[in-house]
Amino acid sequence: MRHALKEFALPVFAIAAALLLFGVLVAFAGIDPVEVWATLFKGAFGDWFSWQNTLQRAAPLMLTALCVALPARAGLIVIGGEGALVLGGLASAALAHAVPLPGNVVGTAAVCMAGALAGALWIVLAGWLRQYRGINETISSLLLAYIAIGIFKHLVEGPLRDPASLNKPSTHALNDGLLIGGIGGSDVHWGFVIGVLACLALGWWLRATASGFSVRVVGGNPRTAQLVGLPATRLILGACGLGGACAGLAGAVEVAAVHTNANASLIAGYGYAGILVSFIARHNPVAIVPVAILFGGFGAAGSLLQRRLGLPDASVLVLQGIAFVLILASEGLRMADWNALRARVPRGGEFGAGRAAPKANAAEAAQ
Amino acid sequence: MTADQWIALAAGIVGGALRVGAPFLFVSLGECLTEKSGRINLGLEGVLVLSAMAAFGGAYLTGSAWLGVLIGAVAGAALALLHGLLCSLDRVNDVATGIALMLLGTGLAFYLGKPLIQPQAPQIPAIPLGFWSDDAVVRSALQLNALVPIGVALAVLLWWGFARTRAGLLVRMAGDSAQATRALGYSVSGLRIAATTAGGFIAGLGGASLTLFYPGSWNEGISSGQGLIAVALVIFARWSPLRCVGAAFLFGGAGAIGPALQSIGMGWGYHLFNTVPYVLTLAILVLTCKPGSAAVGSPGELSSTRS
């Protein structure tokens, strides 16, 4: 229990320190830090309007964070979720245009499935390249993201463009019946619920099922996995596929709930912010939910910072960057008893491989 | 296509190889130095963007392009130093830190660089290579960034340094066997921090050539993954500074295909041609990586090539 508290306290301290440093930075720009913090809070969680904005942004963040978390539990650091997201959004819009779908839940589900499938294939490709060609998945997934964005722009501005979209090239809009609506008439769309359910379901999968457990073994200690004869490659590709499906679903949800068609607004950096969310949540799907809401809040507050205080829109990026650096540093500055606990856990082979799993092992050893 | 168009296209690609390849050259040399010491710096993407902004801002404020170059390089070294320090902490993983610094560097550059989007800064001088032609297109395409010869000299210097100097040997030892380095009484972290910082300084020169030479302005889409391509480039160049030169110009040429085609009026597939460097990188990785074994020439302690 004490350890669980520490696991929670460290990121909280790191984020608090990040806010402090960010305050120092804006103070240099001649802006009152207290006002910045107040505006951040107000823009993120101040009233119902802010909350709606925050939760709307949290939906894709949860799903793209899963695209980092699941492969990470299998020992892979995949950072190309942005590519899976844009291709997912494109696939969902393309399917909705090409096939006459029923304008009800079934049609919407089909649109979402198309997005998830496209995303899954894209990230499985990175996993495949690593398993069969020995290519570092961190680099390949990011290269694939840039390629995906190129394909996306080509198709949206060319073959899949709705001729009626003049200034902003877009695909044909989805029929009204296919759109994902708000919950109870609010601006928070059902994509938020989809995100939360995905996090909970995948958290349960990792924790309670045999295949989920196997994935964690493969990620935590490849040698053990080999000794007990786990099908490592299949498990790794499965984790990549599930993660990619989540990011692709995020794209489909953004198209069906926010933009109503696929256009360049889809390339909004949710994939990169998802990396941060997953790392802060220590690649734990359930912990992703609150972290995604927090970062959705930062994103929502960004425009208010810009309007009220005249800060550049990149301020939120700086805050995220500082938070990320401090969270990683806090990891290194942990208490000595943790060092002792962890020293007993053999390190995973590939870089980053041991990061998630030793934690689980250490937690078990502590009980 | 007419003959003129072919000449313009060829000049565009060759000129582009020299122009687009310049940042690749510096970033890959920086990454090569970092990786030789046994550490990987994915944050070089952030270093490149931040130093591009700092160089442009520096040149704008001081009125001197070369002071701008220096400021960019120092900014790059500072961010890389942060990477080096963070990675020396216990249990802090260099890939995760690299991703964090990529975000931080990009964020800081966008934040601090906001007022720099409009102004014009003094440029790095150009060395004309197109003097043999009367064609204006050819002439303007073959303008050589004055930093490029410096980069080539730096590559030779690094190659010589790794082979012949004590410092170079120490960096290679830290990269190949941390234990042996410790046994001889040297600090592995210290060597790696020094190599990472120097690598960031060199990458910072690449950032400067992004904003202080063609197109010569600061905007937020200035880098888009070139720092990361450099990481793959180093694998392709098998950790040899000399081979980095060839690799950088090959990638520069690949990156110039899209703009060169557009300049002669071929608009189709512009975005697809822009993905050529990324596709080429992946293709080269597919061809050079072998499953289950480290790449030829790879430093022994390098986490990204161990499997």
Side-chain angles (χ1 to χ4, degrees):
Chain A
M1 184 58 215
R2 216 164 47 94
H3 290 302
L5 205 65
K6 256 188 216 165
E7 291 275 311
F8 180 71
L10 269 173
V12 170
F13 273 123
I15 288 179
L19 282 169
L20 202 69
L21 259 178
F22 182 63
V24 173
L25 191 79
V26 294
F28 275 116
I31 296 165
D32 181 13
V34 178
E35 213 180 334
V36 169
W37 294 322
T39 313
L40 257 178
F41 181 79
K42 194 172 165 356
F45 310 109
D47 51 27
W48 175 228
F49 177 80
S50 317
W51 267 104
Q52 291 185 66
N53 199 343
T54 295
L55 296 182
Q56 207 179 31
R57 284 162 192 267
L61 279 179
M62 285 187 269
L63 292 167
T64 51
L66 285 171
C67 181
V68 181
L70 294 175
R73 295 308 281 266
L76 270 67
I77 302 291
V78 167
I79 59 174
E82 186 90 357
L85 183 147
V86 298
L87 286 187
L90 186 67
S92 63
L95 179 82
H97 178 60
V99 180
L101 293 167
N104 55 26
V105 181
V106 178
T108 309
V111 165
C112 288
M113 293 295 277
L117 187 66
L121 288 174
W122 206 244
I123 302 298
V124 163
L125 183 56
W128 186 89
L129 285 169
R130 132 111 181 207
Q131 288 307 109
Y132 290 95
R133 302 296 321 167
I135 296 173
N136 181 299
E137 75 285 353
T138 312
I139 297 169
S140 72
S141 66
L142 204 71
L143 293 172
L144 283 170
Y146 285 111
I147 295 170
I149 289 171
I151 295 174
F152 176 86
K153 285 183 175 163
H154 176 73
L155 292 177
V156 168
E157 292 179 20
L160 292 181
R161 179 171 182 171
D162 175 4
S165 64
L166 296 173
N167 292 326
K168 187 168 198 177
S170 312
T171 62
H172 291 271
L174 269 62
N175 292 329
D176 284 348
L178 294 174
L179 297 178
I180 298 176
I183 306 170
S186 71
D187 283 344
V188 184
H189 53 74
W190 286 97
F192 178 75
V193 176
I194 296 175
V196 172
L197 288 179
C199 287
L200 295 180
L202 290 166
W204 174 82
W205 173 68
L206 279 174
R207 211 180 162 75
T209 67
S211 56
F213 179 71
S214 312
V215 164
R216 279 159 53 205
V217 173
V218 168
N221 195 329
R223 215 159 297 151
T224 308
Q226 211 173 13
L227 278 177
V228 295
L230 287 174
T233 293
R234 218 184 311 153
L235 289 166
I236 286 174
L237 294 187
C240 287
L242 277 174
C246 289
L249 186 59
V253 166
E254 283 296 287
V255 164
V258 182
H259 303 301
T260 72
N261 56 29
N263 62 58
S265 304
L266 214 52
I267 313 167
Y270 282 122
Y272 302 114
I275 304 169
L276 174 61
V277 170
S278 179
F279 268 91
I280 294 179
R282 294 158 184 280
H283 309 311
N284 175 343
V286 179
I288 282 175
V289 176
V291 178
I293 293 175
L294 179 68
F295 278 82
F298 285 165
S303 53
L304 196 66
L305 281 180
Q306 201 179 348
R307 263 180 297 141
R308 279 274 171 81
L309 303 174
L311 281 172
D313 50 356
S315 316
V316 174
L317 264 180
V318 178
L319 179 61
Q320 289 183 354
I322 298 176
F324 202 163
V325 168
L326 287 177
I327 279 165
L328 289 174
S330 75
E331 191 93 358
L333 298 173
R334 264 183 210 224
M335 314 293 273
D337 55 342
W338 275 89
N339 281 330
L341 264 177
R342 288 210 170 180
R344 277 193 250 141
V345 182
R347 287 194 171 202
E350 182 86 0
F351 62 71
R355 292 216 72 66
K359 221 157 290 138
N361 294 351
E364 275 150 27
Q367 280 160 12
Chain B
M1 277 202 321
T2 66
D4 279 355
Q5 278 180 318
W6 278 110
I7 291 175
L9 182 64
I13 292 175
V14 173
L18 296 172
R19 203 166 49 213
V20 184
F24 283 131
L25 173 60
F26 288 103
V27 189
S28 63
L29 287 177
E31 184 70 31
C32 183
L33 177 56
T34 307
E35 290 194 14
K36 275 280 190 190
S37 78
R39 200 171 264 160
I40 188 162
N41 186 1
L42 288 181
L44 276 194
E45 171 72 15
V47 167
L48 188 70
V49 181
L50 183 68
S51 59
M53 187 282 299
F56 189 81
Y60 173 64
L61 291 176
T62 63
S64 153
W66 292 109
L67 269 178
V69 170
L70 186 69
I71 292 170
V74 169
L79 193 62
L81 173 66
L82 183 61
H83 179 77
L85 291 174
L86 280 172
C87 293
S88 322
L89 294 171
D90 235 8
R91 273 186 324 282
V92 173
N93 154 300
D94 48 3
V95 170
T97 315
I99 299 168
L101 286 181
M102 200 190 301
L103 272 176
L104 179 65
T106 319
L108 278 177
F110 290 3
Y111 176 84
L112 299 171
K114 208 71 197 180
L116 297 174
I117 291 181
Q118 283 300 327
Q120 273 297 313
Q123 303 280 300
I124 297 170
I127 302 171
L129 288 184
F131 54 85
W132 45 270
S133 169
D134 291 330
D135 191 326
V137 179
V138 173
R139 279 172 172 234
S140 71
L142 293 182
Q143 298 275 329
L144 184 67
N145 181 345
L147 274 173
V148 169
I150 298 179
V152 174
L154 199 61
V156 177
L157 186 73
L158 274 177
W159 165 77
W160 175 80
F162 282 139
R164 292 277 184 273
T165 67
R166 186 185 176 83
L169 208 61
L170 280 175
V171 167
R172 277 169 52 204
M173 188 165 65
D176 274 327
S177 167
Q179 270 181 335
T181 315
R182 263 184 231 110
L184 286 177
Y186 291 98
S187 154
V188 178
S189 304
L191 282 168
R192 288 184 182 167
I193 291 172
T196 307
T197 310
F201 186 90
I202 299 175
L205 299 174
S209 65
L210 264 180
T211 43
L212 295 181
F213 200 73
Y214 181 87
S217 61
W218 158 255
N219 69 69
E220 296 182 350
I222 198 91
S223 162
S224 63
Q226 294 180 35
L228 272 141
I229 289 185
V231 177
L233 254 169
V234 174
I235 301 175
F236 173 51
R238 280 175 282 143
W239 293 271
S240 154
L242 288 187
R243 276 193 288 256
C244 281
V245 179
F249 292 132
L250 177 66
F251 276 72
I257 294 177
L261 280 174
Q262 209 187 27
S263 74
I264 61 160
M266 278 247 322
W268 187 89
Y270 174 70
H271 293 295
L272 288 186
F273 282 112
N274 277 347
T275 67
V276 168
Y278 310 104
V279 175
L280 183 68
T281 311
L282 259 187
I284 281 171
L285 285 174
V286 168
L287 293 175
T288 52
C289 289
K290 273 197 208 112
S293 69
V296 184
S298 143
E301 297 272 332
L302 201 63
S303 49
S304 70
T305 53
R306 254 191 284 172
S307 51

